[in-house]
Amino acid sequence: MTEHDKQLDRFIQNLQNQNFYDAHEDLEVLWYERRFEESDEVKLLKGFINASVCFELHKKGKTEASQKVWNTYLKYRDLIHTTESVHKEKYSAIINEIERIKKSFIK
């Protein structure tokens, strides 16, 4: 298992445990080193980070800010269809988990 895979697994685990700040940090490590690349995969990672930030803001009662960040996630979510990556299956699982949390966590 690669370090990338481990970080993705940590991200999912932290989302499931509602440790949204930690989830953000898990992917920040992957995104930061590649942040200047113009690739759909990097933008997708940025979207996942935004989803975790959305949940953290919502948890803190900052609903307006949470919605703005959610909209940024939505902007990147569909890049799953054009992302060329060996991690695509795990990215799809992350999207499913994010959508599940959104439905159960934010009414």
Side-chain angles (χ1 to χ4, degrees):
M1 180 178 283
T2 68
E3 190 58 35
H4 192 98
D5 287 314
K6 290 176 187 175
Q7 289 301 120
L8 294 176
D9 287 343
R10 285 184 198 117
F11 178 75
I12 293 169
Q13 185 76 38
N14 277 315
L15 284 180
Q16 291 171 338
N17 292 330
Q18 295 189 2
N19 297 323
F20 304 123
Y21 180 84
D22 293 336
H24 163 273
E25 292 296 309
D26 294 329
L27 286 195
E28 186 84 18
V29 170
L30 298 176
W31 171 81
Y32 187 79
E33 63 189 33
R34 298 180 61 194
R35 68 191 182 279
F36 298 117
E37 288 180 32
E38 278 298 317
S39 79
D40 289 348
E41 183 175 18
V42 172
K43 292 174 186 174
L44 188 60
L45 290 171
K46 184 177 179 180
F48 295 159
I49 291 168
N50 277 278
S52 63
V53 170
C54 163
F55 298 149
E56 183 66 22
L57 289 169
H58 184 78
K59 197 162 89 170
K60 293 182 175 189
K62 299 179 180 185
T63 54
E64 187 176 319
S66 174
Q67 187 58 49
K68 285 182 182 179
V69 178
W70 179 255
N71 290 338
T72 303
Y73 160 72
L74 292 177
K75 180 173 87 172
Y76 295 119
R77 178 184 60 191
D78 289 341
L79 293 175
I80 188 66
H81 303 298
T82 55
T83 296
E84 299 287 329
S85 173
V86 297
H87 307 287
K88 193 167 182 170
E89 188 173 317
K90 193 158 285 198
Y91 293 155
S92 292
I94 288 172
I95 289 171
N96 290 336
E97 185 62 23
I98 287 170
E99 299 294 329
R100 185 196 66 77
I101 291 168
K102 173 75 167 155
K103 288 177 185 167
S104 68
F105 186 71
I106 301 175
K107 305 293 182 196

